Amino acid sequence: MRRRIIATGILLAAPLAAQEDVALRAGIGMGSIVGNGGESITVPTVGVDFGFPLGSGLSLRPGVSYARMGTDVRYYAGGLEWTGSRSIDYVQTSWLLARPRIIGSGRLSLGVQAGPWLGIKVSCDNSGTFGPGLCEGADPGAEVTDYGLMGRLGLSHGITDDVRVSIDALYQVGLKDVIDYPPPEIGITVEGKEYTRLLAFQLGVVLKT
């Protein structure tokens, strides 16, 4: 895991000399693994991203964040209640193209960001009906990486010339099947593909550098 975090830092370090600002964000959201039923789980979200001006009102915002995806299941069979939960924690890197001001005046503005992200699994937990296999390797096992698209819509207000605060809505979709099931056998039902989703609301502080 240490090597993965170091690699993430290298990806972000190269353009730091040109950065315009740094943003610290934290909030709460609903993380899920969709495809085979179950309910989303409530998760914390934290991250940091950097702004690099591109001109024409656009900027590039590479960032690093922590995200948890999971599923809670509850059903009844044979007069008994069965429950299960699973979660996968990721350290994510993202590269978002941003327009900080699509509408607004003075210190108040509404901005939008969108782009790709890559997640690296750092931990996994499961219990109940999901069994131990998910976090212990293959058959089935949680994939080491995930990737997809991310979008953020944020309302920000400049409290000074160098400090802004923001309220952001974040949504990201995973494009990779994150659970590796064994090849199907005769008489065995093939499991559907499962993808991650995250909807979160965050508070942010943006500091000019």
Side-chain angles (χ1 to χ4, degrees):
M1 185 180 79
R2 184 178 180 183
R3 290 182 179 178
R4 296 172 188 167
I5 294 174
I6 291 174
T8 298
I10 292 174
L11 288 173
L12 297 173
L16 288 183
Q19 79 177 63
E20 181 180 50
D21 61 58
V22 56
L24 308 173
R25 308 181 197 272
I28 194 167
M30 300 298 292
S32 58
I33 302 173
V34 301
N36 275 319
E39 298 181 354
S40 302
I41 61 174
T42 303
V43 297
T45 64
V46 294
V48 57
D49 53 88
F50 308 89
F52 301 92
L54 299 176
S56 302
L58 297 176
S59 64
L60 178 66
R61 301 203 67 90
V64 178
S65 60
Y66 160 83
R68 174 178 295 168
M69 313 297 179
T71 307
D72 283 336
V73 171
R74 183 186 303 270
Y75 65 93
Y76 295 88
L80 299 174
E81 180 184 47
W82 300 83
T83 61
S85 66
R86 58 180 174 172
S87 64
I88 308 172
D89 291 21
Y90 296 94
V91 169
Q92 301 182 154
T93 60
S94 58
W95 301 268
L96 306 186
L97 184 64
R99 182 176 288 276
R101 184 187 294 267
I102 53 175
I103 58 173
S105 60
R107 295 184 180 273
L108 189 65
S109 62
L110 181 70
V112 64
Q113 305 174 24
W117 60 268
L118 170 68
I120 299 175
K121 182 184 71 174
V122 293
S123 66
C124 179
D125 183 68
N126 60 284
S127 64
T129 58
F130 290 107
L134 178 70
C135 296
E136 293 182 358
D139 303 334
E143 293 281 1
V144 174
T145 61
D146 189 16
Y147 58 81
L149 297 174
M150 176 186 297
R152 178 184 285 120
L153 185 67
L155 182 66
S156 66
H157 181 265
I159 57 177
T160 70
D161 290 339
D162 296 325
V163 180
R164 288 184 290 123
V165 294
S166 68
I167 301 174
D168 305 303
L170 168 71
Y171 184 65
Q172 70 175 53
V173 297
L175 301 179
K176 178 180 181 180
D177 184 3
V178 295
I179 308 298
D180 181 23
Y181 286 97
E185 300 176 0
I186 297 177
I188 302 297
T189 301
V190 178
E191 299 286 349
K193 293 185 176 181
E194 298 182 75
Y195 303 94
T196 59
R197 299 287 187 270
L198 176 65
L199 173 63
F201 295 94
Q202 298 178 313
L203 296 177
V205 177
V206 184
L207 307 173
K208 274 196 172 182
T209 58

